[in-house]
Structures are given as C-alpha cells and as structure tokens.
Amino acid sequence: MTTVRLSDDALAIACGADAVADAFAAAGCAVERVSSWGMHWLEPLVEIAGLGFGPVAPADVPAILHGASDKAIGPIAEHPFIARQQRLTFARAGRTRPLSLEDYAVTGGWAGLTRARALAPGDVIGQVIQSGLRGRGGAGFPTGVKWKTVAEAPGSRKYVVCNADEGDSGTFADRMLMEGDPFAVIEGMAIAAHAVGAQRGYIYVRSEYPHAIAKLNRALEICAPIIAPCRIEVRVGAGAYICGEETAMLASIEGRRGEVRAKPPLPAISGLFGCPTAINNVLTLTALPHIMAEGGAEEYARLGIDRSRGTKPIQLAGNIRHGGLYETAFGITLRELIHEIGGGTASGRPVRAVQVGGPLGAYIPPAQFDLPFDYEAFAAADALIGHGGVVVFDDTADMRAQARFAMAFCAAESCGKCTPCRLGAVRGVELIDRIAASARLPDPVGALAQMHNAPKVARTRDQDLALLDDLCETMRFGSLCALGGFTHYPVQSALKHWPEDFA
Amino acid sequence: MSRADRIAALIAAAGACEGPLLPVLHAVQAEFGCIDREAEALIADALNLSRAEVHGVASFYHDFRAEADPRPEVQLCRAEACQARGCEALVPAAEAAAAGRVRLTTVYCLGLCSVGPNARIGDTLHARLDEAALVRLIETA
C-alpha cells in the first residue's frame, strides 16, 4: 500500500489538505499527517516515498498515483528552498507526525532535557550563555542572562511562561512549531524550568490559533509523565495584540486587563503572581533542546555573525512568490531572501517595500536590500528584526496608507495605560488623513477654546509633516512599551523613503 | 438547568486554576455567545471579585461580547501581509455579500501570511481567497 504524507498544519488545511487526504484514502492509500515543510506556495504538499507534489487538489490524485502528475517537484529534501536552509529549530519540519512520541524520540527528542537534568541548573544556564542564544521574540535579550536573574531571585515559587501570542502580521513560525513540533516547545520549557528552578509553566497562546491550542493541549496530556514534576498548562488569549508584551501577558494570565506596567520590577524578579518568572518566546524555547544536546551549544555559537549567534527562522510572507519558513544562520541579506529564495513578488510586479518585524517594524526600500539579517545591523539602519517576519509589497503599495494603518493599528490595540500611545495613535491617524486630504483647515483640537496657545490659522503641509514627525518622537520616547514606542518605525520609515506618497 | 446554574457549573469547571478569570470568561462566552450583566455578577460573586473588575476585564478583550449576536460571523484578516496580497480590494464585495445577515469582522492576523487573503469562520480557516471565493464563503456562512 502506498503511504502518502501530507501536513495537518492549519495553513495546509486552509489550503484544502483535508480534502486531498480524503481523496488519497479513498484511492486506497495510507495517509500519514505530518508537520509542514514550510514551502507554503506548494501546500497542500504531498510526499510519497520522498518525492513531492504540490500544490495538490483532489483532482490531481489519480495522476499522482499513476506517476504522471505535472505537480511533481522531485525529492522534497533536495528542493533548493529546503536544501539551502540550516534547520536546527525546524529540524523536524515535514519529517515527523506532530503528536507521535515515537517520531519525536527517534529524531533526538528529549535528549536535551535528559542531559540538562543531569547537569546542575547553573551549568545549564552556562551552556545557554555560551551558545549566545538571544530572545527570538524580538527584543534579542540574552536568554541565559535572563535565566540567571530568575534563578538567583529569592523565592521558592517560580514560573516559566512561554510567549506564544504571535500577533505580528507576517509571522507564523511559532504557530508552525506549536502545531508541527509541540513536544519540542514543551521540552524547551521543561529545560527552562529546570534551569531557573520553576515548578510550573504556562503557554500563552492567542485565540486566533485554534489548531495550535488543540495540538498543545493534546501534546501536554501525552508527555505529562515525561516532563514531570514540571507541570505546564495552556492559557488562551482573547484577541488582544498587546498581550504579547510580557507584563500585559502576565496580567492576562492572572485574570486582569491586559495592561502593560512599568519595569522595573523585571518579571524575572517579580513576575507572575509576584513570583520570579522566566518569559521566553516559542522560538527561543524550541532552540533549547538542540542547544542542550551534546555539543549543541558549541555548534550554535559557531553559526551566525557578530553578536547574533545561531539560526533565525525567517518567515517570508505577503506578496512573495515562494512564501514560507526559511531558517538560516544570521547574516543573510534581504536581497537573497526576497529575490533568490522568495522569487520576487507573487504578482510579478517590482518590489516597492518590505516590512520586517511585524506591524511595528520599519518599511525598507529596495536600495537597502543588502542589509544583513543581524540585530545590530538592523538597529543601525533604524529598523528591527523583531520576530523575523518579512512582508513583501509590490509597486501598487501606497506607503501613506501603510503609515496610516500603523497608527490605526496602534490605536486599535493600545491597552490605554500610557498617554503617548493611547492618544498619540489616534492623533496620528487624524494627522495623516489631513495630509492625505490636502485639507488646509484648522486642526479641530487646536481650535478648542481651552487650547489657548495653539495657532488658530491652518497649518501648511510642511508643518503637518513636522508635527507627524514630532508625534512619532513623542510616542517613541514617551510610551511605556514597544507598541507605542515602535510605531514610529513604520511611520517614519515610510515618510523618509517614500516622501512622494505624502505629497 | 437554569441559566444561573449553568453559569455556576461553567465557573466550577473552568475556575479551578490559578488566575481563573480568563478561562471562565472564555467558557461563558463559548456557551452563551456573550458575557452579559447577569453573567458578570455571577462570576464576580463566585471568584470573590467586584462586578467592576469582571466588567473591566470582559470589556478589555476583543473576543468577549456584552450582547449575543445570533448572526454567523466571518472574520477577514486585514493585517499587512494580507493587505500586500490584496485583501482591501475584497472588502466592498464582502460587505455587500454580508449585507447585515452575516457579521463581517476584522481580525489582525490568522498566521497564514504567505497564502492570504484569509478568513476564519468558527475554527475553520480559509486561505487564497479571491473575491468570488470570499463572497461564496459569506453567502454560505
């Protein structure tokens, strides 16, 4: 009997994988549902004896089984998109059944946890520091240093929290790991719990990811005896983007409004329920089983450039021909990613802009595509890597509309705690609308009776643009967290590189 | 079983954990399609909170509603990656197809950013939508 493997990842299912699986089963094949290879333009991607076919519709099934399909792509593992990658975090992608303990164990699963538990917690932290691993959620803080703070903080009750509130548009690496390799996420958390001395862990998953929630809950049931005495629970978000910010996330788990609070105290000292808490992103935690395996830390530290060590799972999204998950060592340029690997735009039109790092990331023009993927290089170019999402726009993109969206998104998702973000984002939308409408009317707020010092004559466009710039600076330096504090990245980068769109 | 008994049962089932309010609110929202004043009062009483605290939390999160809406809901992703793939051009036709019968809402990111435009109905996700496919989804929702 022919064994057919295809993904049961949410993306594959949304593209019709279930109907394809049914068609193969009806044709007498054994169907095995595995994780996704991450070649999203080929989903539903079918694998038969190592050979790939995609994107497959149920009507393609007879031709594939008769060996005469025009959807054949050859051996999947040798596909250029896969062969060029250095997959450590995503080593199992496409190769294992997500909820099979057997598949997980034969591919090296639990080796990292076993070795970590044989070491003293301090030695585990030492290995993580040696690997150079930095937080993959966006901030890039050294993971081992954070853990050291938690481990040394006084308190008998400590927590590990996995930040799986992957709200950034253009990112899906966390989702793919939770759905495709849930035991690796859990193993990483168990390693973290051992290192910092925590007894309990929470995985905070956004409610927009129903498949990931189901997979994690099932995986936790299956592997509870393996990770014991550590106990891990899934907590489901409720549609608030801000809960990806760590202090808002803790408030949400505690059952409060997802409002950001000032730091210090750091969550590492006083976090969940006032206890020392290690909060790490899904990608950070899932890198750990590899790092803690024999020789893993040394291998990790050898990869990458400068202070950005190891590999980064990059997500190619938006208007790109070959979108998907691309894990590689730090240092790859945007040009390679977008043109060589991504194949340019899906629409076939020229690339106008790329937004890296989600809704709070800068828009980068083609002139800067030689920028290497590296935390410091991006920071020097007034941009950020964030969670590694790369969203490509073709030449039909209106950058003023994108800048307006950045402000509108900030207004919609602001928790309301601090004024620059709560009010600034609303004012930003109004200001961009005024610039767009070429309206030379007095500012309605400036016209209010109590605004004694506001000029009563209409502002010129240059004055409006200067005011927008000023507003961005106020939000940048005055906001409590990265939502208000980073909204200037998309707005000011659009203003700087595409001034013609604001004319 | 009365509505109040049912809510009490949901609180007992979902509330046996650290920080029980969000799991309880999810359970009530899933069962009744909303968290109304009566539910807020019962939850507040059971969890030893003030009704203001429960209302503050329930009204903070986009997922919780104060009133039930019997219409089917279609969530359309309108975040940047779907914008780059043309979701905004689908909105007028989608709104016309929804025509008040279907609640068409905006969601910021379903995590299918390489195959947009995307929509979600219940726990079912739909990718690679063009205008005809989205209109069909809305009409059959």
Side-chain angles (χ1 to χ4, degrees):
Chain A
M1 191 158 61
T2 313
T3 300
V4 174
R5 291 154 66 89
L6 80 164
S7 172
D8 65 351
D9 173 279
L11 185 136
I13 293 172
C15 292
D18 286 349
V20 174
D22 290 346
F24 275 108
C29 301
V31 177
E32 223 171 58
R33 303 301 292 265
V34 292
S35 51
S36 170
W37 283 92
M39 296 195 282
H40 291 162
W41 75 100
L42 292 172
E43 292 287 3
L45 174 63
V46 168
E47 179 184 349
I48 300 174
L51 298 175
F53 304 87
V56 175
D60 299 319
V61 169
I64 290 172
L65 292 175
H66 289 107
S69 175
D70 57 359
K71 300 280 176 79
I73 60 159
I76 294 184
E78 291 164 30
H79 191 284
F81 189 87
I82 300 294
R84 284 187 63 170
Q85 299 192 40
Q86 285 168 296
R87 286 190 161 176
L88 302 180
T89 306
F90 277 85
R92 290 186 191 83
R95 299 172 197 268
T96 59
R97 291 167 291 178
L99 291 172
S100 162
L101 269 184
E102 191 192 336
D103 285 11
Y104 189 66
V106 298
T107 49
W110 312 116
L113 178 61
T114 308
R115 185 161 166 272
R117 282 185 169 173
L119 296 173
D123 294 337
V124 175
I125 293 172
Q127 294 253 302
V128 174
I129 290 175
Q130 186 199 348
S131 76
L133 177 65
R134 293 167 70 179
R136 293 286 184 259
F141 190 81
T143 305
V145 176
K146 187 190 280 184
W147 285 8
K148 197 160 179 280
T149 312
V150 181
E152 289 170 358
S156 56
R157 216 170 115 210
K158 292 178 186 179
Y159 289 95
V160 176
V161 172
C162 171
N163 185 343
D165 195 60
E166 185 181 46
D168 289 355
S169 174
T171 59
F172 40 76
D174 293 353
R175 180 186 61 72
M176 286 182 66
L177 283 173
M178 290 187 282
E179 293 180 13
D181 204 1
F183 294 127
V185 181
I186 296 165
E187 183 179 353
M189 281 188 79
I191 292 170
H194 171 68
V196 304
Q199 302 82 29
R200 301 201 61 165
Y202 288 99
I203 310 178
Y204 188 90
V205 191
R206 56 203 297 263
S207 61
E208 290 85 347
Y209 283 177
H211 298 77
I213 294 164
K215 280 264 181 61
L216 282 174
N217 275 323
R218 186 76 194 100
L220 283 168
E221 278 172 34
I222 296 171
C223 73
I226 299 172
I227 60 165
C230 177
R231 281 187 299 153
I232 297 173
E233 207 180 293
V234 172
R235 279 300 166 88
V236 180
Y241 174 79
I242 194 62
C243 288
E245 198 283 337
E246 57 183 6
T247 60
M249 172 174 295
L250 295 179
S252 187
I253 297 174
E254 291 173 1
R256 296 187 285 116
R257 293 162 66 89
E259 280 181 358
V260 174
R261 69 159 170 82
K263 290 183 279 192
L266 293 169
I269 309 280
S270 175
L272 193 58
F273 303 109
C275 303
T277 305
I279 307 173
N280 292 110
N281 179 257
V282 175
L283 293 177
T284 316
L285 290 167
T286 315
L288 289 164
H290 173 83
I291 289 170
M292 286 315 298
E294 197 60 51
E298 293 80 5
E299 190 195 346
Y300 210 76
R302 265 199 307 275
L303 296 168
I305 55 171
D306 295 334
R307 289 175 52 218
S308 302
R309 310 311 308 180
T311 60
K312 176 85 179 173
I314 295 165
Q315 298 122 85
L316 301 175
N319 198 334
I320 190 161
R321 187 184 308 264
H322 299 151
L325 191 285
Y326 196 88
E327 180 176 353
T328 187
F330 281 98
I332 192 167
T333 65
L334 278 174
R335 187 181 312 284
E336 287 173 85
L337 280 170
I338 295 157
H339 292 293
E340 287 174 34
I341 295 155
T345 62
S347 60
R349 304 180 65 95
V351 175
R352 182 153 202 233
V354 172
Q355 189 180 29
V356 182
L360 307 174
Y363 286 100
I364 298 171
Q368 290 186 0
F369 280 4
D370 288 321
L371 210 56
F373 235 79
D374 167 79
Y375 290 110
E376 279 70 31
F378 265 62
D382 273 335
L384 53 105
I385 288 181
H387 193 257
V390 176
V391 177
V392 180
F393 290 79
D394 71 10
D395 62 351
T396 60
D398 174 354
M399 300 314 292
R400 189 187 62 217
Q402 296 308 129
R404 183 189 188 279
F405 178 77
M407 284 290 187
F409 182 80
C410 181
E413 299 297 339
S414 173
C415 77
K417 181 73 173 269
C418 72
T419 317
C421 173
R422 183 183 67 240
L423 296 187
V426 177
R427 294 282 170 261
V429 173
E430 291 170 0
L431 203 46
I432 295 172
D433 281 345
R434 281 167 48 83
I435 293 168
S438 300
R440 293 290 151 260
L441 302 168
D443 182 337
V445 176
L448 294 173
Q450 55 268 62
M451 299 294 281
H452 306 292
N453 297 326
K456 300 303 176 199
V457 292
R459 286 190 299 271
T460 66
R461 172 184 306 281
D462 284 348
Q463 284 173 322
D464 268 345
L465 288 171
L467 191 60
L468 181 59
D469 211 47
D470 201 30
L471 175 65
C472 284
E473 293 296 303
T474 303
M475 291 173 70
R476 174 180 193 170
F477 294 108
S479 297
L480 208 44
C481 80
L483 179 54
F486 284 4
T487 296
H488 72 92
Y489 277 117
V491 177
Q492 288 185 317
S493 61
L495 271 170
K496 180 175 166 195
H497 299 298
W498 296 273
E500 64 275 20
D501 284 17
F502 293 83
Chain B
M1 192 188 271
S2 76
R3 192 165 179 280
D5 288 343
R6 184 65 200 132
I7 291 174
L10 289 173
I11 295 169
C17 58
E18 290 180 319
L21 187 49
L22 250 73
V24 166
L25 291 175
H26 270 301
V28 173
Q29 169 75 36
E31 175 100 6
F32 298 105
C34 68
I35 294 151
D36 58 14
R37 292 175 66 93
E38 184 200 6
E40 279 179 5
L42 290 166
I43 294 167
D45 196 42
L47 299 183
N48 199 21
L49 299 168
S50 71
R51 199 178 80 77
E53 283 172 299
V54 176
H55 181 73
V57 174
S59 58
F60 180 86
Y61 294 95
H62 297 304
D63 283 5
F64 305 134
R65 300 178 55 82
E67 286 171 15
D69 187 338
R71 297 177 294 170
E73 182 182 19
V74 175
Q75 294 183 320
L76 179 65
C77 178
R78 293 174 71 178
E80 288 91 338
C82 281
Q83 289 172 16
R85 297 182 70 91
C87 73
E88 291 302 313
L90 309 181
V91 171
E95 281 172 350
R101 187 190 69 80
V102 170
R103 185 153 51 97
L104 184 67
T105 53
T106 296
V107 63
Y108 290 130
C109 201
L110 296 168
L112 315 174
C113 310
S114 47
V115 290
N118 306 309
R120 174 180 176 183
I121 303 173
D123 282 348
T124 309
L125 303 173
H126 303 269
R128 294 183 186 141
L129 295 170
D130 55 19
E131 190 175 296
L134 179 59
V135 166
R136 200 161 53 242
L137 268 186
I138 293 169
E139 284 173 350
T140 55

